[in-house]
Amino acid sequence: MDGDKSSLIKRRTPISRKQLTFLLGISLACLFTLITVLQSQIGENELYATTQDKFTATGANLAENVRILCWIMTTPANHESKARHVKRTWGRRCNKLLLMSSVEDEELGTVALPVGEGREGLWNKTREAFRYVYDRHLNEYDWFMKADDDTYVIVENLRYFLYPYSPDFPIFFGSKFRYPEYVKQGYFSGGAGYVLSREALKRFVEQALLDQDHCSTAYDTEDLEMGKCMESVNVTAGDSRDFLGRKRFLPMDPVFHLTAKPDPDFWYKYYSFYEPLYGADCCSDLAISFHYIQGHQMYMMDYLIYKLRAYGVNFRQPVLPKKLRWEEANVVEGPYPAGTTTVKSADATSSSSSPSDSSKIDSIETTSINSVTEMSNESSSVDPSSSDPNKSSAEGSSSNVESDKFNIDRLLDKLLSDDVFLQKLLDKLEVRKKQ
């Protein structure tokens, strides 16, 4: 037995130090390759993530600090053809998504509001939807976005834009339209979507909905009536454009804004509170929403925004803007003074036609508005503390000085946050330094 053991020991071939080093090197190389592959896959998954629980470090921080509830205006006829695609694409990036309809769809998860369907019921559905959100989610989120089921929203850009504003400010944002005889400060296109601060939602439900004289229940033009109700409770219609005057909320699809030529007779010119821009400079680089994105086009938008990359082209993320005080946030530029008009329906029983559906407009009656340049002062909302409107001239002068200083600082901040401008400025300074 001992002889057998000794013979087995003799048969074993010892591994030399050289062979051991070689095997160790091969193992380390395989391990390094495996780690590299895993890192690349994780990095790619994070880069192209589209669900709300997969954000970059900055995105995750914004998702926690700018909590957005999105509710979608839909109908039973659009559950499959439109609302389902919103839920599968951009809707997943909201902190909370609600599909507001008149019929419960258990599979899709719609909320059945006690309203009728049809265009005449849009305003009532909007009222009930915001009431539903107020009753159940007011303190859970900071901002409350209303969008149609053919609206596409880049939620990350919405969070970035809202970051400097406190949800305690009485303010809301969207694609601003005008109808000065009805609402002086302007109102927001329903199709492009609009977003309310928590304080704006509180005032809408607690005050506006109880005021039949200033916030009617009978009017059927949802977005226009919403603007009137918000103005009646001193909620400011904010300016969401970037520092180049390019819009972030767009009431038409990207093709229209990029390729359409200015048409003096088109309804968009009459309704737009700020001068419409077309072509390559139509829209902000950090645009938030587009309207008339149908069904499966939602997936195309998702691919173009979140997955398609041009090799060698990098986008440098702008730094987060500073937090604003109310007096800063409440500085809103007035309308552009070019051929301002009032748009009315041919139907004498209706006080206005809805810009949300241009095909419904039968005729356009234009009326000059001589006081258009004064609308900015008329449309200013009161301070949240309800300060005395009768101020002395000295206080007014001081306020103007502070406003001028703020506007200069605001412009400088916006210029310095623009990568293209900053690079050109650095190039200029470098050239001067060499001279």
Side-chain angles (χ1 to χ4, degrees):
M1 190 72 180
D2 293 338
D4 292 338
K5 287 182 179 180
S6 61
S7 62
L8 286 173
I9 294 172
K10 288 179 182 179
R11 289 174 191 170
R12 289 177 182 171
T13 304
I15 300 175
S16 66
R17 185 184 296 260
K18 189 174 182 180
Q19 290 173 320
L20 186 61
T21 304
F22 175 76
L23 291 174
L24 182 60
I26 290 294
S27 300
L28 290 174
C30 292
L31 182 61
F32 177 77
T33 302
L34 179 61
I35 292 174
T36 303
V37 170
L38 289 175
Q39 285 180 335
S40 65
Q41 289 180 345
I42 292 172
E44 182 174 310
N45 288 337
E46 289 180 349
L47 179 64
Y48 298 145
T50 57
T51 55
Q52 71 176 54
D53 58 343
K54 291 182 180 179
F55 290 101
T56 61
T58 302
N61 186 49
L62 279 181
E64 295 170 1
N65 290 304
V66 186
R67 301 170 300 172
I68 301 175
L69 179 147
C70 306
W71 72 264
I72 309 303
M73 175 94 73
T74 190
T75 68
N78 291 346
H79 286 182
E80 287 295 320
S81 60
K82 294 183 179 180
R84 179 176 298 278
H85 305 304
V86 171
K87 186 175 182 179
R88 290 177 175 177
T89 55
W90 70 264
R92 299 183 296 177
R93 302 180 190 107
C94 301
N95 295 88
K96 177 74 174 180
L97 177 69
L98 296 173
L99 303 175
M100 299 296 194
S101 184
S102 59
V103 174
E104 182 181 2
D105 185 328
E106 293 185 2
E107 182 182 354
L108 189 59
T110 59
V111 175
L113 298 173
V115 297
E117 291 295 348
R119 185 171 182 79
E120 64 282 355
L122 293 180
W123 171 229
N124 192 32
K125 182 181 285 188
T126 298
R127 292 164 54 90
E128 292 304 318
F130 275 122
R131 198 194 310 272
Y132 179 96
V133 170
Y134 171 88
D135 290 339
R136 292 165 175 80
H137 303 291
L138 176 67
N139 295 317
E140 297 175 14
Y141 303 98
D142 306 308
W143 298 87
F144 303 86
M145 174 86 181
K146 176 268 172 186
D148 287 352
D149 53 17
D150 60 350
T151 305
Y152 185 93
V153 179
I154 302 94
V155 179
E156 295 84 351
N157 289 353
L158 177 59
R159 285 196 179 97
Y160 172 80
F161 168 71
L162 293 174
Y163 174 80
Y165 298 91
S166 168
D168 295 324
F169 291 165
I171 197 167
F172 72 137
F173 298 98
S175 179
K176 190 179 284 192
F177 283 173
R178 71 173 89 204
Y179 203 127
E181 286 94 337
Y182 199 74
V183 52
K184 293 179 180 178
Q185 70 170 354
Y187 66 101
F188 296 122
S189 161
Y194 46 83
V195 58
L196 281 64
S197 69
R198 188 189 303 116
E199 177 61 22
L201 176 60
K202 287 179 64 177
R203 292 192 183 194
F204 177 67
V205 176
E206 295 176 3
Q207 300 177 39
L209 293 186
L210 301 179
D211 184 358
Q212 294 291 321
D213 293 332
H214 297 96
C215 190
S216 171
T217 60
Y219 205 79
D220 64 358
T221 306
E222 166 244 332
D223 45 15
L224 184 58
E225 188 64 27
M226 185 70 183
K228 181 185 177 185
C229 293
M230 298 301 263
E231 185 176 69
S232 72
V233 292
N234 296 315
V235 174
T236 296
D239 182 359
S240 61
R241 297 173 301 159
D242 67 15
F243 75 102
L244 294 175
R246 300 175 302 186
K247 295 185 179 182
R248 285 186 168 93
F249 293 82
L250 287 308
M252 307 291 282
D253 64 90
V255 174
F256 170 85
H257 292 288
L258 288 166
T259 64
K261 295 181 180 179
D263 182 354
D265 296 324
F266 189 53
W267 66 265
Y268 185 38
K269 171 183 171 60
Y270 297 125
Y271 275 111
S272 185
F273 194 84
Y274 300 117
E275 183 176 6
L277 302 178
Y278 300 91
D281 295 324
C282 69
C283 319
S284 173
D285 292 344
L286 293 171
I288 291 171
S289 69
F290 291 94
H291 191 204
Y292 299 123
I293 307 299
Q294 303 294 332
H296 290 92
Q297 291 179 339
M298 297 278 178
Y299 304 99
M300 177 190 69
M301 295 289 289
D302 253 21
Y303 170 74
L304 293 176
I305 294 171
Y306 294 96
K307 291 190 175 182
L308 181 63
R309 296 293 184 272
Y311 180 78
V313 177
N314 296 316
F315 175 73
R316 290 194 296 170
Q317 302 289 351
V319 297
L320 290 175
K322 69 172 185 177
K323 293 288 188 177
L324 299 176
R325 303 189 306 274
W326 171 245
E327 56 267 27
E328 297 172 326
N330 199 34
V331 175
V332 180
E333 186 178 339
Y336 78 107
T340 310
T341 60
T342 297
V343 185
K344 294 185 177 180
S345 170
D347 184 0
T349 62
S350 176
S351 61
S352 78
S353 59
S354 172
S356 300
D357 186 356
S358 58
S359 64
K360 300 290 184 180
I361 299 176
D362 300 314
S363 66
I364 299 178
E365 174 191 338
T366 61
T367 306
S368 299
I369 301 173
N370 298 325
S371 60
V372 67
T373 56
E374 300 175 359
M375 282 176 53
S376 177
N377 294 329
E378 296 176 359
S379 64
S380 298
S381 296
V382 299
D383 188 279
S385 61
S386 301
S387 58
D388 184 1
N390 299 317
K391 295 182 178 180
S392 67
S393 59
E395 289 176 328
S397 176
S398 174
S399 176
N400 289 336
V401 171
E402 290 298 322
S403 178
D404 290 341
K405 288 180 179 179
F406 162 67
N407 286 332
I408 293 172
D409 290 341
R410 189 183 187 189
L411 178 60
L412 287 174
D413 288 341
K414 288 186 175 182
L415 287 174
L416 292 176
S417 67
D418 183 77
D419 292 336
V420 176
F421 172 80
L422 193 57
Q423 187 60 52
K424 288 182 178 180
L425 179 61
L426 293 174
D427 292 343
K428 290 279 188 184
L429 291 174
E430 189 67 27
V431 170
R432 289 196 177 189
K433 190 183 296 183
K434 293 178 180 180
Q435 289 177 347

